[in-house]
Amino acid sequence: MKHLYLVVIAAFALLFNLNSCSEAPLAAGNGGYPIKWLGESDTIPTKNVVLNNVYFNLVEKKTYIYNGKKWDVMAVSGIDGISIRWQGDTNDYPAPIDNYAFYHTEEKQSFICHNGVWETLSKNGSNGLSINWLKDTYVEPINKAVNDAYYDVTMKCSRLWDGTEWQVMSVDGLDGKSINWIGEYPAEPKDSKINDAYYNSTDHASYVKTSSGWMVICKDGFSPAEGSVLKWLGELDGMPLAGTSKIGDAFYNKVDGCSYIFVSSGWTMLARAGKNGISIVWKGEFPDDPDSAQLNWAYYNTQENVSKIFNGKSWDIMCKGTMEMVEGLSIVWIGELDEEPVASIEKLNWAYYNRINGNSYICTGKIWNLLAKAGEDGLSILWQGELDTFPNPASINWAFYHNQNHNSYIYDGKAWDLLCKGGYNGV
Protein backbone atom coordinates (compact mmCIF):
# COMPACT_ATOMS: atom_id res chain seq x y z
CA MET A 1 0.00 0.00 0.00
CA LYS A 2 2.89 2.34 0.80
CA HIS A 3 4.40 1.74 -2.64
CA LEU A 4 1.03 2.32 -4.31
CA TYR A 5 0.63 5.63 -2.46
CA LEU A 6 4.08 6.78 -3.64
CA VAL A 7 3.29 5.80 -7.23
CA VAL A 8 0.04 7.86 -7.15
CA ILE A 9 1.86 10.92 -5.75
CA ALA A 10 4.67 10.38 -8.25
CA ALA A 11 2.25 10.23 -11.16
CA PHE A 12 0.64 13.55 -10.18
CA ALA A 13 4.00 15.22 -9.62
CA LEU A 14 5.32 13.93 -12.92
CA LEU A 15 2.33 15.39 -14.71
CA PHE A 16 2.69 18.79 -12.96
CA ASN A 17 6.45 19.04 -13.72
CA LEU A 18 6.24 18.23 -17.42
CA ASN A 19 6.05 21.95 -18.24
CA SER A 20 9.54 22.43 -16.81
CA CYS A 21 10.94 19.42 -18.72
CA SER A 22 10.25 20.33 -22.31
CA GLU A 23 13.09 18.10 -23.42
CA ALA A 24 11.24 14.95 -22.16
CA PRO A 25 9.63 13.06 -25.08
CA LEU A 26 5.84 13.01 -25.43
CA ALA A 27 5.77 10.36 -28.11
CA ALA A 28 2.46 8.87 -29.19
CA GLY A 29 1.85 5.15 -29.59
CA ASN A 30 1.39 3.51 -32.97
CA GLY A 31 -1.23 5.62 -34.75
CA GLY A 32 -1.98 7.63 -31.57
CA TYR A 33 -2.19 11.39 -31.10
CA PRO A 34 0.50 13.06 -28.87
CA ILE A 35 -0.35 14.79 -25.59
CA LYS A 36 0.74 18.45 -25.51
CA TRP A 37 1.27 20.09 -22.13
CA LEU A 38 0.09 23.73 -22.00
CA GLY A 39 1.27 24.43 -18.46
CA GLU A 40 -0.60 25.94 -15.50
CA SER A 41 -3.39 28.48 -15.78
CA ASP A 42 -6.06 30.22 -13.68
CA THR A 43 -8.53 30.08 -16.57
CA ILE A 44 -9.56 27.60 -19.27
CA PRO A 45 -7.42 27.96 -22.45
CA THR A 46 -9.54 29.01 -25.45
CA LYS A 47 -7.09 29.88 -28.28
CA ASN A 48 -5.54 27.35 -30.67
CA VAL A 49 -6.73 24.40 -28.58
CA VAL A 50 -6.45 20.97 -30.27
CA LEU A 51 -7.08 17.32 -29.39
CA ASN A 52 -5.09 16.02 -26.37
CA ASN A 53 -3.96 19.45 -25.12
CA VAL A 54 -3.43 19.21 -21.33
CA TYR A 55 -3.14 21.91 -18.63
CA PHE A 56 -3.34 22.26 -14.84
CA ASN A 57 -6.04 24.58 -13.43
CA LEU A 58 -4.53 26.44 -10.45
CA VAL A 59 -7.96 27.47 -9.11
CA GLU A 60 -9.68 24.05 -9.24
CA LYS A 61 -6.49 22.05 -8.56
CA LYS A 62 -7.39 19.72 -11.44
CA THR A 63 -5.67 18.60 -14.64
CA TYR A 64 -7.78 18.82 -17.81
CA ILE A 65 -7.41 17.21 -21.28
CA TYR A 66 -9.16 18.44 -24.44
CA ASN A 67 -11.15 15.63 -26.19
CA GLY A 68 -11.68 17.59 -29.40
CA LYS A 69 -14.96 19.14 -28.24
CA LYS A 70 -14.60 19.99 -24.55
CA TRP A 71 -12.24 19.84 -21.57
CA ASP A 72 -12.43 16.61 -19.50
CA VAL A 73 -10.98 16.12 -16.03
CA MET A 74 -7.81 14.05 -16.33
CA ALA A 75 -6.64 14.11 -12.69
CA VAL A 76 -7.52 15.76 -9.38
CA SER A 77 -4.85 17.01 -7.01
CA GLY A 78 -4.28 14.74 -4.05
CA ILE A 79 -2.92 15.57 -0.64
CA ASP A 80 0.39 17.41 -0.37
CA GLY A 81 3.43 15.15 -0.43
CA ILE A 82 7.11 15.08 -1.23
CA SER A 83 7.85 16.38 -4.73
CA ILE A 84 9.50 14.23 -7.38
CA ARG A 85 12.84 15.54 -8.69
CA TRP A 86 12.67 14.70 -12.39
CA GLN A 87 16.09 14.02 -13.95
CA GLY A 88 15.02 13.64 -17.59
CA ASP A 89 15.96 10.89 -20.07
CA THR A 90 19.06 8.73 -19.82
CA ASN A 91 20.29 5.28 -20.86
CA ASP A 92 21.91 4.77 -17.45
CA TYR A 93 20.90 4.89 -13.78
CA PRO A 94 21.77 8.18 -11.99
CA ALA A 95 23.08 8.22 -8.42
CA PRO A 96 20.21 6.96 -6.19
CA ILE A 97 18.73 9.89 -4.27
CA ASP A 98 15.25 9.53 -2.76
CA ASN A 99 12.44 10.95 -4.94
CA TYR A 100 14.74 11.47 -7.94
CA ALA A 101 13.02 10.10 -11.05
CA PHE A 102 14.03 9.59 -14.69
CA TYR A 103 13.05 7.89 -17.97
CA HIS A 104 15.32 5.03 -19.11
CA THR A 105 15.50 5.26 -22.90
CA GLU A 106 16.66 1.66 -23.43
CA GLU A 107 14.34 -0.09 -20.95
CA LYS A 108 11.39 2.10 -22.05
CA GLN A 109 10.17 2.82 -18.52
CA SER A 110 10.41 5.45 -15.78
CA PHE A 111 12.01 4.88 -12.36
CA ILE A 112 11.81 6.61 -8.98
CA CYS A 113 14.29 6.25 -6.11
CA HIS A 114 12.74 5.06 -2.84
CA ASN A 115 14.87 4.35 0.26
CA GLY A 116 17.98 4.29 -1.92
CA VAL A 117 16.52 1.79 -4.45
CA TRP A 118 15.33 2.48 -8.01
CA GLU A 119 11.71 1.29 -8.38
CA THR A 120 9.48 1.23 -11.47
CA LEU A 121 7.30 4.33 -11.79
CA SER A 122 5.65 3.53 -15.14
CA LYS A 123 6.18 1.43 -18.25
CA ASN A 124 5.54 2.20 -21.90
CA GLY A 125 2.22 0.77 -23.05
CA SER A 126 1.22 -0.49 -26.48
CA ASN A 127 -1.85 0.42 -28.47
CA GLY A 128 -4.70 -2.09 -28.28
CA LEU A 129 -6.89 -3.02 -31.22
CA SER A 130 -10.67 -2.60 -31.10
CA ILE A 131 -12.90 -5.63 -31.69
CA ASN A 132 -14.38 -5.53 -35.19
CA TRP A 133 -17.79 -7.25 -34.99
CA LEU A 134 -18.78 -8.98 -38.24
CA LYS A 135 -22.22 -10.62 -38.01
CA ASP A 136 -24.14 -13.77 -37.06
CA THR A 137 -23.29 -16.66 -39.37
CA TYR A 138 -23.44 -20.45 -39.59
CA VAL A 139 -19.86 -20.76 -40.94
CA GLU A 140 -16.47 -19.23 -40.14
CA PRO A 141 -15.73 -16.03 -42.10
CA ILE A 142 -13.12 -16.60 -44.84
CA ASN A 143 -11.63 -13.09 -44.99
CA LYS A 144 -10.62 -12.14 -41.45
CA ALA A 145 -8.20 -9.89 -39.61
CA VAL A 146 -6.90 -9.74 -36.04
CA ASN A 147 -9.75 -8.96 -33.59
CA ASP A 148 -12.51 -9.75 -36.08
CA ALA A 149 -15.39 -11.33 -34.11
CA TYR A 150 -18.70 -12.97 -34.97
CA TYR A 151 -21.52 -15.08 -33.46
CA ASP A 152 -21.54 -18.73 -34.61
CA VAL A 153 -25.21 -19.72 -34.89
CA THR A 154 -24.35 -23.43 -35.21
CA MET A 155 -22.01 -23.58 -32.20
CA LYS A 156 -24.09 -21.01 -30.24
CA CYS A 157 -21.06 -19.00 -29.16
CA SER A 158 -19.14 -15.79 -30.00
CA ARG A 159 -15.63 -16.18 -31.48
CA LEU A 160 -12.62 -13.87 -31.92
CA TRP A 161 -9.76 -14.22 -34.49
CA ASP A 162 -6.39 -13.76 -32.70
CA GLY A 163 -4.34 -13.87 -35.88
CA THR A 164 -3.77 -17.63 -35.70
CA GLU A 165 -7.09 -19.25 -34.81
CA TRP A 166 -10.66 -18.52 -33.71
CA GLN A 167 -10.95 -18.18 -29.91
CA VAL A 168 -14.25 -18.59 -28.02
CA MET A 169 -15.35 -15.31 -26.40
CA SER A 170 -18.64 -16.43 -24.84
CA VAL A 171 -20.97 -19.43 -24.95
CA ASP A 172 -24.78 -19.42 -24.84
CA GLY A 173 -26.40 -20.70 -21.67
CA LEU A 174 -28.23 -24.05 -21.71
CA ASP A 175 -32.02 -24.11 -21.85
CA GLY A 176 -33.71 -25.49 -18.75
CA LYS A 177 -35.90 -28.60 -19.02
CA SER A 178 -39.48 -28.77 -17.76
CA ILE A 179 -40.41 -31.02 -14.85
CA ASN A 180 -42.77 -33.85 -15.88
CA TRP A 181 -45.21 -34.55 -13.02
CA ILE A 182 -46.19 -38.24 -12.94
CA GLY A 183 -48.43 -38.33 -9.86
CA GLU A 184 -48.43 -39.87 -6.35
CA TYR A 185 -46.71 -43.17 -5.43
CA PRO A 186 -45.84 -45.00 -2.19
CA ALA A 187 -42.29 -45.62 -3.49
CA GLU A 188 -39.95 -44.57 -6.29
CA PRO A 189 -41.70 -45.19 -9.65
CA LYS A 190 -40.09 -47.70 -12.00
CA ASP A 191 -39.14 -46.88 -15.61
CA SER A 192 -38.83 -43.17 -14.76
CA LYS A 193 -36.95 -40.63 -16.87
CA ILE A 194 -34.81 -37.57 -16.16
CA ASN A 195 -37.02 -34.66 -14.87
CA ASP A 196 -39.92 -36.95 -13.94
CA ALA A 197 -41.35 -35.79 -10.59
CA TYR A 198 -43.82 -37.33 -8.14
CA TYR A 199 -45.20 -37.14 -4.57
CA ASN A 200 -44.17 -39.95 -2.22
CA SER A 201 -47.19 -40.78 -0.04
CA THR A 202 -45.00 -42.80 2.35
CA ASP A 203 -42.46 -40.15 3.42
CA HIS A 204 -44.64 -37.15 2.41
CA ALA A 205 -42.05 -35.53 0.11
CA SER A 206 -41.92 -34.58 -3.58
CA TYR A 207 -38.99 -35.78 -5.73
CA VAL A 208 -37.52 -35.05 -9.17
CA LYS A 209 -35.39 -37.51 -11.16
CA THR A 210 -31.90 -36.23 -12.06
CA SER A 211 -28.82 -37.83 -13.58
CA SER A 212 -27.68 -38.54 -9.99
CA GLY A 213 -30.97 -40.11 -8.88
CA TRP A 214 -34.10 -38.90 -7.08
CA MET A 215 -33.74 -35.47 -5.41
CA VAL A 216 -36.11 -33.84 -2.87
CA ILE A 217 -38.10 -30.86 -4.19
CA CYS A 218 -40.27 -30.20 -1.13
CA LYS A 219 -41.18 -31.94 2.13
CA ASP A 220 -44.47 -31.86 4.05
CA GLY A 221 -44.24 -30.08 7.37
CA PHE A 222 -47.03 -31.88 9.28
CA SER A 223 -49.12 -35.02 9.60
CA PRO A 224 -52.34 -34.68 7.56
CA ALA A 225 -55.65 -34.48 9.39
CA GLU A 226 -58.86 -36.10 8.23
CA GLY A 227 -62.04 -34.52 6.91
CA SER A 228 -61.02 -31.66 4.60
CA VAL A 229 -62.38 -31.94 1.06
CA LEU A 230 -61.54 -29.84 -1.97
CA LYS A 231 -64.57 -28.22 -3.59
CA TRP A 232 -63.84 -26.93 -7.08
CA LEU A 233 -65.86 -23.79 -7.91
CA GLY A 234 -64.83 -23.64 -11.57
CA GLU A 235 -63.68 -20.56 -13.50
CA LEU A 236 -64.61 -17.17 -11.98
CA ASP A 237 -64.14 -13.55 -13.07
CA GLY A 238 -62.57 -12.55 -9.76
CA MET A 239 -62.36 -13.41 -6.06
CA PRO A 240 -65.61 -14.67 -4.42
CA LEU A 241 -67.37 -12.25 -2.07
CA ALA A 242 -66.05 -12.06 1.49
CA GLY A 243 -67.84 -14.38 3.92
CA THR A 244 -69.11 -16.77 1.24
CA SER A 245 -66.09 -19.13 1.08
CA LYS A 246 -65.27 -22.27 3.08
CA ILE A 247 -62.00 -24.12 3.69
CA GLY A 248 -61.27 -26.32 0.69
CA ASP A 249 -63.02 -24.09 -1.87
CA ALA A 250 -60.85 -23.63 -4.99
CA PHE A 251 -61.26 -21.90 -8.35
CA TYR A 252 -59.48 -20.56 -11.43
CA ASN A 253 -59.38 -16.74 -11.69
CA LYS A 254 -59.88 -15.74 -15.35
CA VAL A 255 -58.70 -12.19 -14.59
CA ASP A 256 -55.12 -12.90 -13.45
CA GLY A 257 -54.77 -16.46 -14.83
CA CYS A 258 -54.04 -18.02 -11.42
CA SER A 259 -55.80 -20.71 -9.34
CA TYR A 260 -56.62 -20.17 -5.63
CA ILE A 261 -57.65 -22.27 -2.63
CA PHE A 262 -59.36 -21.10 0.58
CA VAL A 263 -57.55 -22.04 3.84
CA SER A 264 -57.95 -20.95 7.45
CA SER A 265 -56.05 -17.72 6.82
CA GLY A 266 -57.97 -16.84 3.62
CA TRP A 267 -57.43 -17.23 -0.11
CA THR A 268 -53.96 -18.38 -1.12
CA MET A 269 -52.30 -19.29 -4.42
CA LEU A 270 -52.85 -22.83 -5.71
CA ALA A 271 -51.20 -22.35 -9.13
CA ARG A 272 -49.71 -19.19 -10.66
CA ALA A 273 -49.90 -18.18 -14.31
CA GLY A 274 -46.56 -19.15 -15.84
CA LYS A 275 -43.73 -16.75 -16.52
CA ASN A 276 -40.79 -18.31 -18.35
CA GLY A 277 -37.35 -17.06 -17.34
CA ILE A 278 -33.93 -18.30 -16.39
CA SER A 279 -34.06 -22.00 -15.52
CA ILE A 280 -33.38 -23.09 -11.94
CA VAL A 281 -30.79 -25.88 -11.72
CA TRP A 282 -31.93 -28.10 -8.85
CA LYS A 283 -28.98 -29.79 -7.09
CA GLY A 284 -30.84 -31.85 -4.46
CA GLU A 285 -30.56 -31.77 -0.65
CA PHE A 286 -27.41 -31.05 1.36
CA PRO A 287 -26.58 -30.15 4.99
CA ASP A 288 -24.51 -27.11 3.84
CA ASP A 289 -24.25 -24.74 0.86
CA PRO A 290 -22.63 -26.54 -2.13
CA ASP A 291 -19.15 -25.36 -3.16
CA SER A 292 -18.33 -23.77 -6.54
CA ALA A 293 -21.96 -22.74 -7.01
CA GLN A 294 -23.20 -21.19 -10.26
CA LEU A 295 -26.03 -18.72 -10.96
CA ASN A 296 -29.52 -20.17 -10.27
CA TRP A 297 -28.30 -23.34 -8.57
CA ALA A 298 -30.90 -24.31 -5.96
CA TYR A 299 -31.08 -26.97 -3.26
CA TYR A 300 -32.86 -28.02 -0.04
CA ASN A 301 -30.85 -27.44 3.18
CA THR A 302 -31.53 -30.38 5.52
CA GLN A 303 -30.09 -28.56 8.56
CA GLU A 304 -32.03 -25.30 8.19
CA ASN A 305 -35.16 -26.82 6.56
CA VAL A 306 -35.18 -24.17 3.85
CA SER A 307 -34.77 -24.10 0.07
CA LYS A 308 -32.02 -21.81 -1.26
CA ILE A 309 -31.01 -20.30 -4.61
CA PHE A 310 -27.58 -18.91 -5.61
CA ASN A 311 -27.76 -15.32 -6.96
CA GLY A 312 -24.26 -15.35 -8.42
CA LYS A 313 -22.60 -14.08 -5.22
CA SER A 314 -24.40 -15.65 -2.26
CA TRP A 315 -27.18 -18.10 -1.32
CA ASP A 316 -30.67 -16.60 -0.83
CA ILE A 317 -33.68 -18.26 0.81
CA MET A 318 -36.40 -19.33 -1.65
CA CYS A 319 -38.81 -20.90 0.83
CA LYS A 320 -38.62 -21.21 4.62
CA GLY A 321 -40.60 -23.36 7.05
CA THR A 322 -43.64 -25.51 6.33
CA MET A 323 -46.33 -24.51 3.89
CA GLU A 324 -49.93 -24.22 5.00
CA MET A 325 -52.27 -26.34 2.92
CA VAL A 326 -55.65 -27.99 3.26
CA GLU A 327 -55.17 -31.48 4.63
CA GLY A 328 -57.03 -34.48 3.29
CA LEU A 329 -57.94 -33.29 -0.21
CA SER A 330 -56.67 -35.71 -2.80
CA ILE A 331 -55.98 -34.85 -6.45
CA VAL A 332 -55.45 -37.93 -8.61
CA TRP A 333 -52.87 -36.99 -11.23
CA ILE A 334 -53.23 -39.06 -14.39
CA GLY A 335 -50.31 -37.55 -16.33
CA GLU A 336 -50.11 -35.93 -19.78
CA LEU A 337 -52.83 -36.50 -22.40
CA ASP A 338 -53.56 -35.23 -25.90
CA GLU A 339 -57.32 -34.98 -25.35
CA GLU A 340 -59.86 -34.57 -22.56
CA PRO A 341 -61.16 -37.81 -20.95
CA VAL A 342 -64.89 -38.34 -20.46
CA ALA A 343 -65.96 -36.72 -17.16
CA SER A 344 -67.78 -38.82 -14.53
CA ILE A 345 -68.41 -38.82 -10.78
CA GLU A 346 -65.92 -41.70 -10.47
CA LYS A 347 -63.24 -39.34 -11.81
CA LEU A 348 -63.88 -36.57 -9.22
CA ASN A 349 -60.62 -34.63 -8.57
CA TRP A 350 -58.78 -36.41 -11.36
CA ALA A 351 -56.33 -33.99 -12.99
CA TYR A 352 -54.07 -34.06 -16.02
CA TYR A 353 -51.84 -31.93 -18.26
CA ASN A 354 -53.05 -31.32 -21.84
CA ARG A 355 -50.04 -31.58 -24.18
CA ILE A 356 -51.92 -29.82 -27.01
CA ASN A 357 -52.79 -26.48 -25.34
CA GLY A 358 -50.36 -26.57 -22.40
CA ASN A 359 -53.09 -26.21 -19.71
CA SER A 360 -53.87 -28.44 -16.69
CA TYR A 361 -57.46 -29.54 -15.91
CA ILE A 362 -59.38 -31.04 -12.96
CA CYS A 363 -62.61 -33.06 -13.06
CA THR A 364 -65.60 -31.81 -10.98
CA GLY A 365 -67.48 -35.08 -11.53
CA LYS A 366 -69.46 -33.54 -14.37
CA ILE A 367 -67.02 -31.48 -16.45
CA TRP A 368 -63.32 -30.71 -16.74
CA ASN A 369 -62.33 -27.28 -15.33
CA LEU A 370 -59.11 -25.34 -15.89
CA LEU A 371 -56.63 -25.98 -13.04
CA ALA A 372 -53.59 -24.07 -14.33
CA LYS A 373 -53.22 -22.09 -17.53
CA ALA A 374 -50.13 -22.32 -19.74
CA GLY A 375 -47.81 -19.38 -19.11
CA GLU A 376 -46.69 -17.04 -21.84
CA ASP A 377 -43.03 -16.21 -22.43
CA GLY A 378 -42.00 -13.33 -20.27
CA LEU A 379 -39.08 -11.69 -18.52
CA SER A 380 -36.64 -13.61 -16.34
CA ILE A 381 -37.06 -13.36 -12.57
CA LEU A 382 -34.55 -10.86 -11.12
CA TRP A 383 -33.88 -12.07 -7.57
CA GLN A 384 -33.17 -9.22 -5.11
CA GLY A 385 -32.27 -11.32 -2.06
CA GLU A 386 -33.66 -11.01 1.51
CA LEU A 387 -35.19 -7.65 2.49
CA ASP A 388 -37.14 -6.26 5.45
CA THR A 389 -39.50 -4.10 3.31
CA PHE A 390 -40.91 -4.01 -0.20
CA PRO A 391 -38.41 -2.32 -2.60
CA ASN A 392 -39.60 1.03 -3.96
CA PRO A 393 -39.22 1.79 -6.79
CA ALA A 394 -39.25 -1.70 -8.35
CA SER A 395 -39.02 -3.16 -11.87
CA ILE A 396 -41.16 -5.91 -13.43
CA ASN A 397 -40.21 -9.45 -12.32
CA TRP A 398 -38.11 -8.31 -9.39
CA ALA A 399 -38.48 -10.96 -6.66
CA PHE A 400 -37.29 -11.15 -3.04
CA TYR A 401 -37.74 -12.92 0.31
CA HIS A 402 -39.48 -10.80 2.99
CA ASN A 403 -37.66 -11.27 6.33
CA GLN A 404 -40.63 -9.98 8.38
CA ASN A 405 -43.56 -12.08 7.09
CA HIS A 406 -41.43 -14.96 5.68
CA ASN A 407 -43.07 -14.85 2.23
CA SER A 408 -41.46 -14.47 -1.20
CA TYR A 409 -42.91 -11.89 -3.65
CA ILE A 410 -42.66 -11.00 -7.35
CA TYR A 411 -43.42 -7.57 -8.90
CA ASP A 412 -45.82 -7.70 -11.88
CA GLY A 413 -45.21 -4.12 -12.96
CA LYS A 414 -48.00 -2.66 -10.80
CA ALA A 415 -48.06 -4.55 -7.51
CA TRP A 416 -46.19 -7.17 -5.48
CA ASP A 417 -47.70 -10.66 -5.92
CA LEU A 418 -47.14 -13.64 -3.62
CA LEU A 419 -44.48 -15.96 -5.09
CA CYS A 420 -44.08 -18.39 -2.18
CA LYS A 421 -46.03 -18.30 1.10
CA GLY A 422 -44.16 -18.59 4.39
CA GLY A 423 -44.58 -21.46 6.82
CA TYR A 424 -47.47 -21.93 9.23
CA ASN A 425 -48.44 -24.93 11.36
CA GLY A 426 -51.12 -27.15 9.87
CA VAL A 427 -54.63 -27.63 11.30
Side-chain angles (χ1 to χ4, degrees):
M1 180 62 72
K2 183 178 180 181
H3 290 174
L4 178 60
Y5 176 73
L6 288 174
V7 170
V8 173
I9 295 177
F12 283 128
L14 174 59
L15 184 60
F16 301 154
N17 282 277
L18 283 177
N19 62 324
S20 62
C21 303
S22 58
E23 69 277 7
L26 293 172
N30 297 331
Y33 202 92
I35 289 176
K36 182 179 181 181
W37 180 255
L38 302 183
E40 302 175 351
S41 175
D42 294 331
T43 59
I44 299 174
T46 57
K47 295 182 179 181
N48 301 321
V49 177
V50 297
L51 178 67
N52 281 359
N53 280 183
V54 178
Y55 86 100
F56 178 73
N57 190 303
L58 294 169
V59 177
E60 300 181 11
K61 304 298 182 184
K62 297 178 181 178
T63 301
Y64 286 90
I65 185 170
Y66 192 68
N67 67 10
K69 295 182 179 180
K70 63 183 182 70
W71 289 98
D72 290 331
V73 175
M74 188 175 184
V76 180
S77 293
I79 58 175
D80 292 337
I82 301 174
S83 298
I84 287 178
R85 302 287 299 277
W86 186 254
Q87 304 301 302
D89 303 343
T90 178
N91 60 0
D92 198 2
Y93 288 84
I97 301 175
D98 278 0
N99 285 338
Y100 272 35
F102 74 99
Y103 177 77
H104 200 295
T105 55
E106 292 185 357
E107 298 185 20
K108 306 298 183 183
Q109 57 180 311
S110 298
F111 294 91
I112 185 171
C113 185
H114 175 61
N115 291 333
V117 178
W118 288 108
E119 297 179 353
T120 299
L121 179 61
S122 64
K123 293 184 179 181
N124 278 18
S126 58
N127 291 340
L129 296 175
S130 299
I131 289 177
N132 178 37
W133 186 259
L134 302 178
K135 60 180 179 179
D136 297 356
T137 178
Y138 287 90
V139 295
E140 295 179 357
I142 298 176
N143 300 319
K144 66 258 186 185
V146 175
N147 278 12
D148 279 358
Y150 77 101
Y151 177 77
D152 194 305
V153 180
T154 304
M155 299 174 63
K156 296 188 181 300
C157 67
S158 297
R159 307 177 76 193
L160 174 75
W161 181 253
D162 65 3
T164 304
E165 59 182 341
W166 289 103
Q167 301 287 351
V168 175
M169 292 176 64
S170 63
V171 181
D172 285 3
L174 299 176
D175 294 335
K177 294 183 179 180
S178 300
I179 288 177
N180 176 39
W181 186 260
I182 58 176
E184 179 177 335
Y185 298 89
E188 294 179 359
K190 297 181 180 179
D191 301 325
S192 55
K193 301 177 182 179
I194 298 296
N195 277 1
D196 281 355
Y198 80 103
Y199 177 78
N200 190 304
S201 57
T202 303
D203 63 10
H204 305 293
S206 295
Y207 294 85
V208 62
K209 185 69 173 290
T210 70
S211 58
S212 302
W214 289 101
M215 299 292 186
V216 174
I217 298 177
C218 186
K219 292 184 177 180
D220 287 358
F222 54 86
S223 297
E226 300 292 337
S228 298
V229 178
L230 183 145
K231 181 181 180 182
W232 187 255
L233 305 181
E235 300 180 23
L236 305 179
D237 291 324
M239 291 289 185
L241 297 175
T244 62
S245 304
K246 299 179 181 179
I247 291 179
D249 286 354
F251 75 101
Y252 172 77
N253 191 324
K254 293 187 288 186
V255 176
D256 63 11
C258 301
S259 297
Y260 296 85
I261 187 170
F262 194 83
V263 296
S264 58
S265 58
W267 287 104
T268 187
M269 193 76 67
L270 179 62
R272 177 180 296 277
K275 294 180 180 179
N276 294 339
I278 300 175
S279 300
I280 290 176
V281 181
W282 187 259
K283 307 305 290 184
E285 53 180 309
F286 304 96
D288 298 303
D289 295 340
D291 295 329
S292 304
Q294 299 179 16
L295 179 65
N296 276 6
W297 276 22
Y299 81 103
Y300 179 79
N301 190 301
T302 56
Q303 297 294 325
E304 301 175 22
N305 294 323
V306 298
S307 294
K308 293 184 175 183
I309 185 171
F310 191 69
N311 64 18
K313 296 181 179 179
S314 60
W315 288 97
D316 290 329
I317 293 176
M318 290 180 67
C319 187
K320 180 185 291 185
T322 61
M323 300 299 294
E324 181 184 22
M325 57 185 292
V326 177
E327 301 84 0
L329 55 89
S330 177
I331 292 178
V332 181
W333 186 260
I334 58 176
E336 300 183 9
L337 303 175
D338 291 329
E339 59 184 17
E340 181 180 285
V342 177
S344 66
I345 193 64
E346 292 81 10
K347 297 177 183 176
L348 177 64
N349 280 358
W350 280 23
Y352 78 100
Y353 174 78
N354 191 301
R355 287 190 290 250
I356 304 302
N357 60 24
N359 298 332
S360 295
Y361 296 89
I362 187 170
C363 183
T364 66
K366 296 181 179 179
I367 61 173
W368 289 94
N369 277 159
L370 193 62
L371 177 61
K373 190 174 183 179
E376 298 177 354
D377 291 342
L379 301 174
S380 299
I381 288 179
L382 303 175
W383 187 257
Q384 305 299 305
E386 301 181 31
L387 304 172
D388 292 326
T389 59
F390 290 90
N392 186 19
S395 299
I396 189 169
N397 275 8
W398 276 22
F400 77 102
Y401 175 79
H402 200 299
N403 285 322
Q404 303 301 315
N405 61 24
H406 309 298
N407 296 333
S408 294
Y409 295 89
I410 185 171
Y411 192 69
D412 63 7
K414 296 181 179 180
W416 286 98
D417 292 331
L418 191 66
L419 180 62
C420 182
K421 188 174 179 63
Y424 297 93
N425 292 330
V427 178

